[in-house]
Amino acid sequence: MQTIFSIAVDALAYGMVLFVISIGLSVTMGLMRVVNLAHGAFAMIGGYIASYAARDLGLGYGFAVLIAVFGTILIAIPVERLLYRRIYGAPELTQVLMTIGITFCIIGITNFVFGPTLKTIPLPAELQGSVDLGFRSIATQRLFAIVCGLAVALALWYLVERTSFGIKLRAAVDDAAMAAALGVKTEIVYAVSFAIAVGLAAFGGVVGAELLPVEPYYALRYMVTFLVVVSVGGAGSIPGALLACLLLGGIDTAGRYLMPEFGEFFFYLAVIAIVCIFPRGLAGRAK
Amino acid sequence: MALLTNRESAAAPRRSSRYSRDLIGIAVILVFAVLGYLLFPNNLALLTRITAIALLVLSLDLVTGYCGVATLGHAALFGAGAYAAGMAAVHGGITEPVSMVVIGALGGAAAGLISGLVILRAHGLPQLVLSIAIIHLFHEAANKASSWTGGSDGLSGIAPDPLLGLFAFDLWGRTAYVFGIVLLLAVFIVLRQLVRSPFGMLCRGIKEDPIRIRAMGGSVQATLIRMYVISGAVAGIGGALSAVSTQVVGLDSLSFTLSAESLVMLVLGGTGSLYGALIGTLAFMWFEDLVSAANPFHWLTMVGVLLIAVVLFAPRGLFGTASALAARLWKGRP
């Protein structure tokens, strides 16, 4: 019972962190049709900035998160303008190569600037320790990650379904040319959603630093995981991504707890099964 | 009349010029191989490694360059060949190098069949994800079956017999190098014929427009799977060569990194041409050996910059860009 409960909590926390990071990827992939393997690198940059702000500058945790999110967006803007612009609409192979190249560069530069060691983000006193739920106690940090994931999911749902920006976004996802003809400034929609995606990646990188430790190879190690989650969920779908994160997070965590010697065997087996059964993802729409 | 003779004379040498171009290509490979042997007698292990990887990149070119299947899991076929040859030697007692290569080719072909059946079920992004899942699955399976594969320690104790009973595999790697070059040349000649055959043309047609091929009565899926099996055999030969020459098979031969690197080499050289695959491998491995000796992280940055530059400025790769330039110069001549 104790094992099942801790698996459930860890799986939920892990799934939520995955969700916060990969939902941005899902949106940009659905919107701009770019296979962005460098998304994890932006999460890593967020983690590094937060670590620098909180540990070396001694700022508060909340401040560090804010600086991480906006700093990462600032770094991402020139990258988007100079590099991503040129691969919109290009074949997948080109996009994969370009974004792998960007990832490699970011890893190399990060290592050059911050060194190859693991970086920690010191937690404030409120997030340390554990919360007593009456029958069990769970680590506050896990609870915080879960709450953050839920908040992001709700906020995104509101943004996409209830605001005028969301309407424009959905229109551009469905048919960019038609939306532009009807007066939607798709360029701005693209830019804003790219910024949101990168900001969310950075946020997820900071919040999930306890589960996905920040080090130079972060971008390469989890690159595939994020891509897999988006593909399984179906690009561009928030509920699909949430479902995929919870499902895959559960399978991965349960596999690690119960059969650690198999590593990620069951994770990838599940991925193959799901992609074969739902080639467009769990919540993907037919083109 | 003059026009007619002109056209005839233009058409007649075309076929023979194709073969003479192949001969030139083979001669160039041989010259490079001999030069490598003479100039770097202490570095033959690296050159043999390049040869083995060149076989992997050639096989990747068959599915990515000629069939248009984007895959990030091609090292699965290479590693399957390496492990098949290695396990045949260690557990099966088959230490004759040529039979080890044949077993490696069979193992690679089997892995090609499996991954082809899985990967070809989807297109675009899901296809990429399936290929990534395949390579990780192979990796974890090899790690788990450690009684057979040696797990993370690697499969060691491969002791191949002398080649043809005459040439022992020496400490300097001379025999392994010559063996590798002979294998590479043989595979290259077979593949030149293959990509020019009607089957090769059908594959290119599928890359251009699968719907039209289907409308013309061609079977897209069956053709692609056949190509995948052939590609698996080629990659398996490369894997077996690496097992024979290094006498050890590690889990890194089944890694995502190797898959991604082989794709980078292919694109660097130029997809859709066998020469491009060879040039890309040589350039990349050479460069890696130079730079990564200094600092592996600088190497990563350099590869990243190189990739971005290739995508932006030379999307057809080194060979494609060079041959386009040459063609323009040729035309520019009076």
Side-chain angles (χ1 to χ4, degrees):
Chain A
M1 190 60 209
Q2 180 70 48
T3 329
I4 295 177
F5 184 73
S6 38
I7 290 178
V9 170
D10 272 3
L12 198 57
Y14 181 57
M16 281 304 177
V17 169
L18 275 186
F19 173 74
V20 174
I21 297 178
S22 50
I23 186 62
L25 181 60
S26 176
V27 170
T28 45
M29 209 118 91
L31 183 63
M32 308 174 194
R33 316 229 179 278
V34 174
V35 181
N36 184 8
L37 290 179
H39 194 76
F42 292 121
M44 180 179 81
I45 294 177
Y48 268 101
I49 296 180
S51 163
Y52 182 74
R55 215 171 57 160
D56 299 325
L57 299 182
L59 297 174
Y61 189 74
F63 256 127
V65 169
L66 275 182
I67 291 176
V69 169
F70 286 102
T72 312
I73 292 176
L74 270 184
I75 292 175
I77 286 172
V79 176
E80 198 267 346
R81 294 229 72 119
L82 291 175
L83 298 177
Y84 280 89
R85 272 294 144 90
R86 299 166 187 252
I87 53 168
Y88 291 154
E92 269 109 15
L93 191 61
T94 315
Q95 300 178 338
V96 164
L97 289 166
M98 171 71 112
T99 50
I100 286 186
I102 295 174
T103 311
F104 281 177
C105 281
I106 292 179
I107 293 176
I109 295 169
T110 312
N111 177 70
F112 183 71
V113 176
F114 292 101
T117 51
L118 205 86
K119 297 284 172 197
T120 54
I121 304 170
L123 290 172
E126 302 90 65
L127 292 182
Q128 288 167 356
S130 55
V131 176
D132 199 7
L133 292 181
F135 60 107
R136 290 274 183 274
S137 63
I138 59 175
T140 317
Q141 207 281 333
R142 299 274 193 280
L143 202 62
F144 178 63
I146 295 171
V147 171
C148 283
L150 288 176
V152 166
L154 267 180
L156 269 182
W157 172 80
Y158 182 80
L159 180 74
V160 171
E161 299 290 332
R162 289 284 184 271
T163 61
S164 69
F165 175 76
I167 294 173
K168 289 175 188 167
L169 179 67
R170 278 181 287 150
V173 169
D174 280 345
D175 191 335
M178 196 62 200
L182 289 171
V184 175
K185 295 198 169 44
T186 48
E187 288 276 300
I188 294 178
V189 174
Y190 281 10
V192 171
S193 31
F194 190 82
I196 293 177
V198 169
L200 281 176
F203 182 61
V206 180
V207 171
E210 297 276 311
L211 291 161
L212 314 176
V214 177
E215 38 104 23
Y217 278 112
Y218 182 107
L220 207 57
R221 186 158 299 156
Y222 304 110
M223 170 169 90
V224 167
T225 315
F226 302 142
L227 193 70
V228 163
V229 163
V230 170
S231 174
V232 166
S237 153
I238 297 175
L242 190 60
L243 190 60
C245 288
L246 293 179
L247 192 64
L248 293 179
I251 292 172
D252 199 27
T253 313
R256 277 173 207 281
Y257 264 91
L258 302 176
M259 284 166 288
E261 71 273 23
F262 274 97
E264 295 183 309
F265 188 81
F266 291 104
F267 179 79
Y268 285 105
L269 202 62
V271 168
I272 291 182
I274 296 173
V275 174
C276 282
I277 299 170
F278 306 95
R280 295 193 190 289
L282 290 172
R285 289 169 296 179
K287 270 181 196 158
Chain B
M1 191 60 205
L3 203 90
L4 199 74
T5 48
N6 241 348
R7 213 181 271 162
E8 269 174 359
S9 64
R14 190 164 293 161
R15 181 167 293 164
S16 68
S17 84
R18 262 194 205 153
Y19 287 104
S20 67
R21 234 173 42 195
D22 276 8
L23 280 180
I24 294 173
I26 292 167
V28 169
I29 296 176
L30 266 179
V31 167
F32 264 91
V34 172
L35 273 182
Y37 186 89
L38 293 178
L39 292 179
F40 305 97
N42 297 325
N43 235 348
L44 289 181
L46 171 70
L47 296 183
T48 315
R49 168 99 186 136
I50 294 179
T51 314
I53 300 294
L55 285 165
L56 167 64
V57 179
L58 277 178
S59 94
L60 178 63
D61 198 14
L62 289 183
V63 294
T64 301
Y66 287 92
C67 298
V69 179
T71 162
L72 276 170
H74 213 68
L77 317 185
F78 180 83
Y83 272 110
M87 286 194 290
V90 173
H91 302 292
I94 302 173
T95 47
E96 208 282 306
V98 177
S99 3
M100 278 172 74
V101 167
V102 171
I103 290 171
L106 289 178
L113 181 64
I114 296 171
S115 54
L117 283 173
V118 173
I119 290 173
L120 295 173
R121 287 187 61 96
H123 298 281
L125 172 66
Q127 188 171 57
L128 270 177
V129 168
L130 280 179
S131 71
I132 295 170
I134 280 278
I135 182 70
H136 278 104
L137 216 54
F138 272 69
H139 185 270
E140 295 296 341
N143 192 13
K144 185 71 187 80
S146 53
S147 57
W148 279 90
T149 60
S152 50
D153 295 336
L155 181 68
S156 53
I158 304 167
D161 290 343
L163 189 59
L164 306 173
L166 293 174
F167 309 101
F169 284 91
D170 50 319
L171 199 61
W172 299 98
R174 289 192 195 110
T175 315
Y177 179 62
V178 174
F179 186 43
I181 292 294
V182 170
L183 279 179
L184 181 68
L185 275 179
V187 166
F188 183 79
I189 292 168
V190 171
L191 290 188
R192 281 303 295 180
Q193 296 305 317
L194 179 81
V195 298
R196 264 204 302 254
S197 68
F199 173 70
M201 289 301 176
L202 184 60
C203 287
R204 267 193 237 192
I206 289 172
K207 182 192 176 191
E208 301 293 329
D209 195 342
I211 296 169
R212 183 171 290 182
I213 294 293
R214 200 170 291 138
M216 282 160 52
S219 167
V220 172
Q221 209 72 358
T223 313
L224 289 183
I225 286 187
R226 226 176 295 159
M227 194 53 148
Y228 235 100
V229 172
I230 296 172
S231 163
V234 173
I237 293 174
L241 171 62
S242 128
V244 168
S245 62
T246 58
Q247 314 200 340
V248 66
V249 181
L251 275 181
D252 60 325
S253 61
L254 273 175
S255 64
F256 172 75
T257 323
L258 183 60
S259 309
E261 276 183 352
S262 58
L263 189 63
V264 171
M265 293 180 218
L266 175 61
V267 172
L268 176 67
T271 56
S273 105
L274 299 179
Y275 294 110
L278 294 181
I279 291 172
T281 315
L282 190 62
F284 184 93
M285 299 279 293
W286 196 268
F287 207 52
E288 178 183 31
D289 188 59
L290 284 183
V291 181
S292 67
N295 183 333
F297 281 100
H298 290 340
W299 161 240
L300 217 52
T301 318
M302 294 263 247
V303 175
V305 173
L306 198 69
L307 263 179
I308 296 173
V310 165
V311 170
L312 289 185
F313 303 116
R316 294 164 66 192
L318 291 176
F319 181 72
T321 311
S323 57
L325 269 180
R328 203 190 292 165
L329 284 178
W330 195 256
K331 258 189 197 162
R333 281 203 338 197

